């Protein structure tokens, strides 16, 4: 919640521009009165009518008197704003509560309260507040909603002071504002069999995550150079040969979500476009995997990994909520890139850190959301399969979305030949259904069963 006072006035309701700013606050009615008064005074001089001169002076004096009164009026008004929640999915509403408090010793006149909001969030809210007693407060609220992702500033809050005749209107702004983050919509995904259940460290990195633990002790045969203090005498007596304790290190499943953001790979814009579908699918996948305890990173076609420390992987576990918030904030503002290919993403996956892709572990999970692929990019995507435990691709071909002839089936066949579980995304497809379909689809063209 932010609070503030009129800018440049030390909390008082006086305009920082002085008398000139107050004169600029004359409304159309006030300017008309002033012009009519001057015209009447000139006509009285030409026609020699004294009564007309008095009418002209009255018409010209009234708006000037209102300007002087409002300019001398000193109101100290404090304003605050509370935004709940500060992060909402696209299409959902957020509630904004405004509070105005009169901290001076004199009552205010009629106030018009206005909050500045981007046009995407709806019309600019305006409220008329009656007289506020000294020490009194008024609270009003409104709702904002956007179907488009992004970060939208709310504020600064503005107060409009006016005289009873509507001849002068002065606007005073507060200095604080808040930011509403509209994140992609997510779908709750059903649990399916996922590959890459463990990419930890130690001798048994291929074991399932549920079996891993800090206290696991598994005996193995003695090797030259092993510390004799690690000899496991009970196993030695059982097997008849020298056995040592093989201490497992903590392991955590890892997954990478690849989002193709190339502008040339998509067509159209808006909430129902293919790119927005890809962003929403990536967000749903990231949240689902984080809830399952995966260490997850978001990778774009530019090769940048976003999630947390250590090669871009989040920590998962207790930090999953924080990691999810970080990734969702990034996806709220992600847009099209100028890249022409997926080479940078491929280099990042190939480099790895020995525990995900292209390293000694090679048992992580890769979920990719890809736009249009030509022959070269299809081959590059096929190479990304590498040695990862499972790779799932969702292809959003713009030609298919536009109803034109598409080569998406050729791309799917090529990816499946290299071990991908590849699915085409058609307009209006529900991601939850495709997720379940991918979980039960064969790996590539030869392997039956799920992602294991």
């Amino acid at each position: 919640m932010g609070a503030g006072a009129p800018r440049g006035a030390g909390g008082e309701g006086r305009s920082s521009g002085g008398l000139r700013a107050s004169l600029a606050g004359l409304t159309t009615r006030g300017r008309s009165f002033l012009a009519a008064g001057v015209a009447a005074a000139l006509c009285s001089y030409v026609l020699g009518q004294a009564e007309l001169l008095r009418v002209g002076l009255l018409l010209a004096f009234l708006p000037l008197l209102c300007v002087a009164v409002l300019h001398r009026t000193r109101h100290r008004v404090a304003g605050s704003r509370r935004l709940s929640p500060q992060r909402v999915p696209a299409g959902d509403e957020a509630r904004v509560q405004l509070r105005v408090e009169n901290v001076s010793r004199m009552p205010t006149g009629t106030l018009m309260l206005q909050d500045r909001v981007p046009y995407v969030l709806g019309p600019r809210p305006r409220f008329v507040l009656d007289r506020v007693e000294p020490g009194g407060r008024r609270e009003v609220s409104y709702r904002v909603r956007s179907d488009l992702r992004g970060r939208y500033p709310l504020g600064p809050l503005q107060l409009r002071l006016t005289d009873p005749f509507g001849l002068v209107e002065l606007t005073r702004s507060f200095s604080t504002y808040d930011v509403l983050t509209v994140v992609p919509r997510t779908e709750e995904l059903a649990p399916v069999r996922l590959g890459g259940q463990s990419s930890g460290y130690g001798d048994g990195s291929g074991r399932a995550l549920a079996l891993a633990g800090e206290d696991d002790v598994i005996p193995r045969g003695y090797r030259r150079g092993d510390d004799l203090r690690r000899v496991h005498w009970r196993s030695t007596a059982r097997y008849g040969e020298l056995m040592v304790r093989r201490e497992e290190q903590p392991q955590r499943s890892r997954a990478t979500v690849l989002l193709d953001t190339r502008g040339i790979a998509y067509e159209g814009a808006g909430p129902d476009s293919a790119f927005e579908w890809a962003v929403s699918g990536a967000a749903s996948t990231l949240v689902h995997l984080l809830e399952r305890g995966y260490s997850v990173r978001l990778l774009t076609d530019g090769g940048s990994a976003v999630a947390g420390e250590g090669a871009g992987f989040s920590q998962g576990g207790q930090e999953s909520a924080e990691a999810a918030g970080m990734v969702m904030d990034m996806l709220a503002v992600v847009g099209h890139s100028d890249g022409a290919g997926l080479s940078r993403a491929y280099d990042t996956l190939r480099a790895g850190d020995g525990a995900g892709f292209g390293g000694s572990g090679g048992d992580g999970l890769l979920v990719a959301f890809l736009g249009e692929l030509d022959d070269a990019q299809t081959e590059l995507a096929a190479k990304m399969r590498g040695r990862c435990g499972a790779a799932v691709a969702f292809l959003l071909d713009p030609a298919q979305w536009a109803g034109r002839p598409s080569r998406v089936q050729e791309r799917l066949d090529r990816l499946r030949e290299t071990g991908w579980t590849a699915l085409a995304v058609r307009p209006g497809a529900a991601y939850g259904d495709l997720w379940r379909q991918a979980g039960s689809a064969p790996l590539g063209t030869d392997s039956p069963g799920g992602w294991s």
Side-chain angles (χ1 to χ4, degrees):
M1 178 171 67
R7 195 180 311 166
E12 296 180 356
R14 293 191 60 184
S15 174
S16 58
L19 185 59
R20 181 177 299 178
S22 299
L23 287 173
L26 284 170
T27 63
T28 302
R29 181 184 300 176
R31 296 176 187 273
S32 300
F33 267 62
L34 186 60
V38 173
L42 292 177
C43 290
S44 69
Y45 176 76
V46 173
L47 301 176
Q49 298 290 331
E51 292 79 3
L52 187 59
L53 176 62
R54 288 193 289 269
V55 173
L57 292 178
L58 176 62
L59 291 176
F61 177 74
L62 185 58
L64 296 178
L65 176 63
C66 293
V67 167
V69 171
L70 282 184
H71 176 71
R72 296 295 300 174
T73 300
R74 301 176 62 90
H75 293 309
R76 299 186 61 213
V77 181
S80 63
R81 180 190 303 102
R82 178 181 292 120
L83 177 61
S84 177
Q86 294 184 342
R87 182 189 294 123
V88 296
D92 288 2
E93 291 185 341
R95 184 170 182 265
V96 183
Q97 183 175 0
L98 305 177
R99 174 184 295 180
V100 175
E101 184 175 1
N102 183 12
V103 296
S104 64
R105 296 182 178 180
M106 61 181 300
T108 69
T110 301
L111 304 177
M112 188 171 74
L113 189 64
Q114 176 178 277
D115 206 9
R116 298 184 61 181
V117 301
Y119 72 94
V120 177
L121 300 181
R124 180 171 296 182
R126 293 182 175 90
F127 305 93
V128 177
L129 305 180
D130 294 332
R131 174 180 177 275
V132 182
E133 66 279 3
R137 65 180 60 178
R138 299 290 185 272
E139 293 186 359
V140 293
S141 64
Y142 64 94
R143 296 184 180 274
V144 291
R145 176 181 177 274
S146 174
D147 292 326
L148 300 176
R149 300 174 293 109
R151 291 172 58 86
Y152 302 103
L154 300 178
L157 188 64
Q158 294 179 332
L159 283 177
R160 289 189 178 182
L161 307 178
T162 184
D163 64 286
F165 304 103
L167 302 178
V168 184
E169 188 177 82
L170 301 182
T171 301
R172 286 101 185 253
S173 297
F174 291 78
S175 59
T176 59
Y177 66 94
D178 293 274
V179 176
L180 174 67
T181 303
V182 181
V183 300
R185 295 193 66 88
T186 58
E187 294 186 38
E188 185 175 354
L189 303 179
V192 296
R193 296 180 60 194
L194 298 176
Q197 285 295 319
S198 178
S199 59
Y201 311 95
D203 297 326
S205 61
R207 302 176 61 219
L209 177 65
L211 301 180
E214 298 182 1
D215 301 326
D216 287 352
V217 178
I218 302 174
R220 62 168 174 82
Y222 175 81
R223 300 171 186 170
R224 180 177 296 182
D226 285 339
D227 191 348
L228 292 178
R229 290 175 296 181
R230 296 176 58 190
V231 173
H232 195 263
W233 296 108
R234 181 178 301 177
S235 298
T236 299
R238 178 179 178 183
Y239 293 103
E241 60 177 317
L242 198 60
M243 305 291 291
V244 296
R245 293 187 299 271
R246 180 173 57 183
E247 298 179 356
E248 294 293 324
Q249 298 183 10
Q251 304 174 33
R252 187 181 299 279
S253 302
R254 287 193 173 187
T256 295
V257 176
L258 172 61
L259 177 62
D260 184 4
T261 64
R262 296 173 299 143
I264 61 175
Y266 301 93
E267 293 180 4
D272 298 326
S273 64
F275 180 66
E276 292 301 322
W277 194 101
V279 173
S280 179
S284 301
T285 305
L286 288 163
V287 172
H288 176 74
L289 294 177
L290 284 169
E291 290 176 349
R292 295 195 62 190
Y294 275 69
S295 290
V296 182
R297 67 175 172 179
L298 172 65
L299 186 65
T300 64
D301 57 284
S304 58
V306 181
E309 301 178 354
F313 284 96
S314 71
Q315 297 299 317
Q318 296 180 352
E319 295 83 10
S320 61
E322 180 180 353
M326 182 187 307
V327 173
M328 295 297 282
D329 286 344
M330 185 271 180
L331 288 175
V333 296
V334 68
H336 291 299
S337 70
D338 297 329
L342 304 173
S343 57
R344 293 184 178 179
Y346 172 71
D347 292 339
T348 302
L349 294 176
R350 184 178 59 177
D353 63 344
F357 303 91
S360 59
D363 56 348
L365 171 66
L366 173 61
V367 181
F369 296 86
L370 305 174
E372 184 178 16
L373 300 177
D374 55 22
D375 294 338
Q377 300 309 315
T378 301
E379 291 300 321
L380 194 60
K383 294 180 181 179
M384 293 181 186
R385 175 65 174 87
R387 295 174 55 194
C388 55
V392 184
F394 299 95
L395 271 63
L396 299 96
D397 192 302
Q400 190 178 32
W401 278 65
R404 302 193 306 267
S406 172
R407 297 181 59 188
V408 66
Q409 189 59 47
E410 299 179 18
R411 313 305 185 198
L412 294 174
D413 294 340
R414 177 54 186 151
L415 293 179
R416 289 167 182 169
E417 289 175 1
T418 57
W420 282 86
T421 298
L423 298 173
V425 180
R426 294 178 173 81
Y431 180 54
D433 296 338
L434 291 178
W435 176 262
R436 285 189 293 269
Q437 182 180 347
S440 59
L443 281 175
T445 58
D446 300 324
S447 302
W451 301 1
S452 57

